[in-house]
Amino acid sequence: VEYLHEEMKKKSVLGEMLEYLVYEKDGQVYFQQELDYINSYTKIQQIRYSDSFSISMNITEEARRCVIHKLLIQPIVENAINHGLVDKENGELLISAWVGEEVLQIVVRDNGAGMDEQTLERLMKHVRSENRESKHKSIGLPNIQERLVLKYGSQYGISIKSEPPKEGKKVISMR
């Protein structure tokens, strides 16, 4: 019976995710809609990884009402789970967002192992590179960077900080 309940839960969540993907064809959504999608996505990941991590959000009402690109946050959350939390017991993922000086700030933080300086430097070079033919398989973070720069200008985008062995932190800034 528990197995059937889990399967029904997965199908329900997958249905919610599919609905989001086809909704708002122009690619712009309220940040709250993106957060709802992130909740569905992390439910699936928590089932997949036997609830080895928790997620919490600290989002201001003003930030929830901002309009953003659809699927802006999901690749960052996926990155945090796959590279920071997948092999960690009691992993924690925190998403914070607020508006300050007319700029939406979004922070995705995990308590994973973090990265050393060289790895972080290579990652940021990859994120900011216009050459997608690099040896990195990842396209999520560079894609987000490119979309932010095209929409808001080069002063906006992703910054990544890491404090090994404590945590990784991704910051997104946009108008």
Side-chain angles (χ1 to χ4, degrees):
V1 174
E2 188 175 320
Y3 173 77
L4 290 175
H5 177 71
E6 283 297 314
E7 289 303 309
M8 287 174 39
K9 186 172 154 183
K10 286 181 203 175
K11 287 178 183 175
S12 174
V13 170
L14 286 171
E16 292 168 7
M17 292 173 71
L18 183 58
E19 184 178 329
Y20 177 76
L21 292 174
V22 297
Y23 177 72
E24 294 298 334
K25 295 194 187 303
D26 73 348
Q28 301 290 303
V29 296
Y30 288 105
F31 186 47
Q32 180 59 56
Q33 292 171 285
E34 181 84 351
L35 292 172
D36 293 342
Y37 180 78
I38 294 302
N39 277 325
S40 296
Y41 174 78
T42 55
K43 282 179 192 173
I44 293 288
Q45 295 302 324
Q46 286 172 319
I47 292 167
R48 180 179 178 196
Y49 294 115
S50 304
D51 291 318
S52 65
F53 70 91
S54 63
I55 181 169
S56 57
M57 296 187 187
N58 182 11
I59 315 292
T60 66
E61 286 304 314
E62 185 177 16
R64 290 175 190 276
R65 292 188 302 268
C66 288
V67 175
I68 66 167
H69 283 288
K70 185 191 294 188
L71 297 176
L72 187 71
I73 309 304
Q74 185 274 333
I76 296 171
V77 170
E78 179 178 353
N79 183 282
I81 292 169
N82 290 340
H83 298 288
L85 301 178
V86 91
D87 294 324
K88 183 171 180 68
E89 286 186 37
N90 301 315
E92 296 175 7
L93 182 65
L94 171 64
I95 301 172
S96 304
W98 64 95
V99 176
E101 298 180 23
E102 297 183 19
V103 176
L104 174 61
Q105 297 285 335
I106 304 168
V107 176
V108 178
R109 182 186 307 259
D110 65 71
N111 69 338
M115 294 174 268
D116 60 47
E117 260 185 67
Q118 289 176 325
T119 303
L120 180 59
E121 193 174 299
R122 278 194 310 271
L123 177 60
M124 286 310 300
K125 186 176 181 180
H126 173 64
V127 167
R128 288 183 170 38
S129 172
E130 293 180 19
N131 177 10
R132 298 293 177 246
E133 300 298 320
S134 77
K135 60 185 172 187
H136 289 273
K137 294 178 188 174
S138 167
I139 60 167
L141 297 177
N143 180 280
I144 292 168
Q145 176 70 16
E146 187 175 323
R147 289 191 294 157
L148 290 170
V149 169
L150 286 173
K151 175 84 173 171
Y152 305 106
S154 60
Q155 69 271 32
Y156 299 98
I158 299 174
S159 67
I160 302 173
K161 297 178 174 81
S162 186
E163 299 174 14
K166 299 189 303 189
E167 65 182 29
K169 176 177 160 183
K170 291 84 179 170
V171 180
I172 301 171
S173 300
M174 70 188 87
R175 274 206 185 273

